Amino acid sequence: PALNVADVHFFFFFLLNDLQVNTALGASVNWYFISIDTQTLSGNTNVTTGVYYVSQSMNGCESPRTAVNVTAIQALSQPNAAAQVFCGAATVADLTATGTTGATIHWYSNATSQVPLLAGTSLNNGTYYVAQSIGDCISTKRPVNVKVVSLVAPVLDALFVCGDATVASLPLNALTGSSYNVYASVVSPTPMAQNAPIVSGTYYISKVELGCETMRTAVQVTVTPRPASPTGLLVQNFSDTGSVGEFVMDQTNVIWFESYNNALNNTSPLPANHPLIDGQVYYGIIVGPNGCASLPTGVTVNITLGTKDLDL
């Protein structure tokens, strides 16, 4: 019988002997350039793109010839594919890559796997590998980073804010590459603007990462008024030397700082024995019983030399 041979694709350079043909047991293979050739081709003939004819022979009998379309491919490069992000869930079928025209794209779970992943396989965070094939020819694999962002609502504690609060001042502490959206209600179609005022109540907050937005979490926000800022002389004079503990204000519970930002955030307070520097501005705050600090008051220091210093 005539041979049943599929079309063949292969890399340069191949010989006729490299082409796989299923023959009857004990039969030999004959290759021809044209269907009516009487001269068979040598098995060491270099194969190029075109149509070849093949038959099988046994005991002096030769089968009819079968046409075989052969495509010679120089080399298949890796397909093009960038890092990919999916929101919530995705499968291998959602991955994208661009290959040579007519090529088939294959995705793998690791660099050495020979078994492509099924289209319905669920994706996880990590690296996948993509290759392309035409017929029996397959390229090397390209690594592709895949990120599947969870859409589960974030876990957030109740928030406490001092003074006049806006969305931007909420202490949400988003990690690099992520942010939060704040909504006035669970069904609000758009998030609140960063400069929108915040009052005590319940807000609905989602997390945004790599373009994916999670479900919303109900968060109780408490806004507490700030106490009044310290009052007193805004320029204070000292003879010879001075220390933080020697500031005189109308209040006795003032905490002092070297910078406005430190005072505003109540970080790095100065001890009472910290020496003062002539011409420098120091900032004082008052912390109320609810833990909220006042806005800072700036006091400029003026230190003059006494007669003892001149004697020395």
Side-chain angles (χ1 to χ4, degrees):
L3 291 171
N4 183 11
V5 184
D7 291 347
V8 180
H9 302 77
F10 59 90
F11 292 117
F12 269 56
F13 287 99
F14 265 58
L15 305 177
L16 281 175
N17 283 338
D18 297 318
L19 301 180
Q20 299 297 315
V21 177
N22 295 320
T23 63
L25 183 63
S28 60
V29 175
N30 308 305
W31 287 99
Y32 302 90
F33 270 133
I34 59 177
S35 62
I36 59 175
D37 257 350
T38 58
Q39 182 65 42
T40 60
L41 296 172
S42 167
N44 292 324
T45 301
N46 289 326
V47 180
T48 59
T49 297
V51 179
Y52 291 79
Y53 295 86
V54 64
S55 68
Q56 59 180 336
S57 298
M58 185 166 51
N59 299 325
C61 298
E62 184 176 1
S63 72
R65 300 175 186 182
T66 299
V68 181
N69 290 310
V70 177
T71 303
I73 302 171
Q74 290 286 356
L76 277 178
S77 61
Q78 295 177 340
N80 294 319
Q84 298 175 44
V85 177
F86 299 96
C87 302
T91 65
V92 169
D94 297 311
L95 293 169
T96 59
T98 304
T100 301
T101 301
T104 301
I105 300 296
H106 307 280
W107 290 92
Y108 301 86
S109 59
N110 58 70
T112 60
S113 175
Q114 299 300 314
V115 181
L117 295 169
L118 297 176
T121 303
S122 296
L123 298 178
N124 298 306
N125 292 335
T127 302
Y128 289 81
Y129 296 82
V130 62
Q132 62 177 331
S133 69
I134 296 178
D136 299 326
C137 306
I138 189 164
S139 71
T140 57
K141 300 181 181 72
R142 179 187 296 277
V144 178
N145 186 55
V146 173
K147 174 76 172 178
V148 181
V149 180
S150 172
L151 299 186
V152 175
V155 178
L156 297 171
D157 296 326
L159 300 177
F160 298 88
V161 185
C162 295
D164 296 332
T166 63
V167 169
S169 69
L170 291 175
L172 291 169
N173 302 320
L175 298 176
T176 301
S178 65
S179 61
Y180 289 96
N181 282 340
V182 180
Y183 295 86
S185 75
V186 70
V187 295
S188 294
T190 56
M192 299 173 65
Q194 289 295 299
N195 60 354
I198 293 290
V199 297
S200 294
T202 301
Y203 294 84
Y204 299 85
I205 302 177
S206 65
K207 185 178 181 181
V208 180
E209 181 181 2
L210 299 176
C212 301
E213 184 174 8
T214 68
M215 304 296 287
R216 303 173 190 180
T217 296
V219 178
Q220 180 64 36
V221 178
T222 301
V223 180
T224 304
R226 293 182 183 272
S229 299
T231 57
L233 292 176
L234 300 184
V235 177
Q236 299 200 18
N237 300 312
F238 299 87
S239 178
D240 296 327
T241 61
S243 63
V244 166
E246 296 179 65
F247 277 124
V248 177
M249 301 295 284
D250 297 333
Q251 300 81 18
T252 59
N253 56 340
V254 179
I255 304 171
W256 294 96
F257 302 83
E258 279 189 325
S259 73
Y260 183 88
N261 284 337
N262 282 354
L264 190 63
N265 298 310
N266 195 10
T267 58
S268 303
L270 298 174
N273 61 354
H274 185 83
L276 300 176
I277 299 175
D278 181 44
Q280 183 164 323
V281 179
Y282 294 83
Y283 298 89
I285 63 170
I286 294 175
V287 177
N290 52 21
C292 284
S294 69
L295 292 176
T297 296
V299 174
T300 301
V301 170
N302 183 21
I303 298 177
T304 57
L305 293 178
T307 56
K308 291 183 179 179
D309 293 299
L310 291 175
D311 290 342
L312 292 173

